[in-house]
Amino acid sequence: MASSSTDGTGTDLVPTPVKIIVAGGFGAGKTTMVGSVSEIPPLTTEEVLTEASAGIDDLSGVERKTTTTVALDFGRITISPRHVLYLFGTPGQARFWFMWDDLARGAIGTIVLVDTRRLETSFAAIDFFERRKIPFVVAVNCFDNAPRYTADEIREALVVPDRVPIVMCDARDRDSSKLALIRLVKHAMTVVPAHV
């Protein structure tokens, strides 16, 4: 994708793609976050939950959820003529985790979205990115009527090292989601070697 801007030499700039993953447990708000910040209509692979998923998908705490991501979510944010963020939301159910390796390939970092109503669903995502040494931040999606905890309480409950930032956010709110992305990019820049 060539930019219409030029670098002063009359040649078109091709923006550098920056890949970011939005991961987390089932129902944590990944699709909502990608949609709230994307400058394009997000690509989603949402499907209606059916009776076939009964006994497979744990809906405790998210009983009103009627759809689920079965492959990925995709959005884009143009930062400048030189940089474009590509956002990839992962599916949350365990049966779709086989896709995470492909989605994470080439990512500079990850937002692990956490739902305090179902904190235990966050462990798999945190473990996945820690094992692969992919920088991540924990973004606590502050759902209405969900229990509220301090960042220190979240860190202790999730056994997250001090070097991993924890931010509070509302995945429905564009500005709040953007702040979480900014925090991730800043964190990734401190831990990823400059030549990568």
Side-chain angles (χ1 to χ4, degrees):
M1 161 172 69
S3 167
S4 59
S5 312
T6 63
D7 60 5
T9 63
T11 60
D12 286 339
L13 290 176
V14 176
T16 301
V18 179
K19 184 177 184 181
I20 291 177
I21 302 300
V22 179
F26 177 60
K30 301 174 295 293
T31 299
T32 301
M33 176 176 267
V34 171
S36 75
V37 296
S38 179
E39 68 190 18
I40 61 170
L43 166 71
T44 63
T45 57
E46 289 277 287
E47 293 294 334
V48 175
L49 286 168
T50 66
E51 290 183 20
S53 69
I56 298 172
D57 295 327
D58 179 9
L59 295 177
S60 56
V62 290
E63 291 84 3
R64 295 187 320 187
K65 186 168 176 59
T66 59
T67 61
T68 186
T69 299
V70 296
L72 61 93
D73 300 309
F74 174 78
R76 183 185 75 204
I77 305 172
T78 301
I79 302 300
S80 71
R82 293 185 178 271
H83 297 94
V84 176
L85 295 184
Y86 293 105
L87 308 175
F88 291 83
T90 64
Q93 304 98 309
R95 68 181 184 275
F96 296 128
W97 287 349
F98 68 91
M99 300 180 64
W100 285 30
D101 276 318
D102 288 335
L103 288 173
R105 190 170 293 119
I108 66 149
T110 302
I111 290 179
V112 175
L113 210 52
V114 169
D115 178 353
T116 60
R117 300 168 302 177
R118 298 160 46 92
L119 209 53
E120 70 282 357
T121 65
S122 308
F123 288 110
I126 290 169
D127 183 58
F128 180 91
F129 295 104
E130 279 183 334
R131 287 176 183 264
R132 286 155 184 81
K133 298 183 176 18
I134 297 173
F136 68 94
V137 300
V138 171
V140 179
N141 192 4
C142 298
F143 285 94
D144 297 334
N145 303 316
R148 300 286 194 243
Y149 301 101
T150 67
D152 287 340
E153 289 171 324
I154 297 288
R155 183 179 307 285
E156 183 177 348
L158 295 176
V159 196
V160 176
D162 288 342
R163 69 180 179 275
V164 175
I166 296 180
V167 298
M168 305 298 167
C169 74
D170 181 341
R172 302 167 297 183
D173 182 75
R174 180 178 178 82
D175 290 336
S176 182
S177 295
K178 281 169 54 176
L179 289 174
L181 286 166
I182 289 167
R183 188 65 187 96
L184 170 63
V185 171
K186 286 181 176 178
H187 174 61
M189 289 171 60
T190 67
V191 297
V192 175
H195 66 276
V196 173

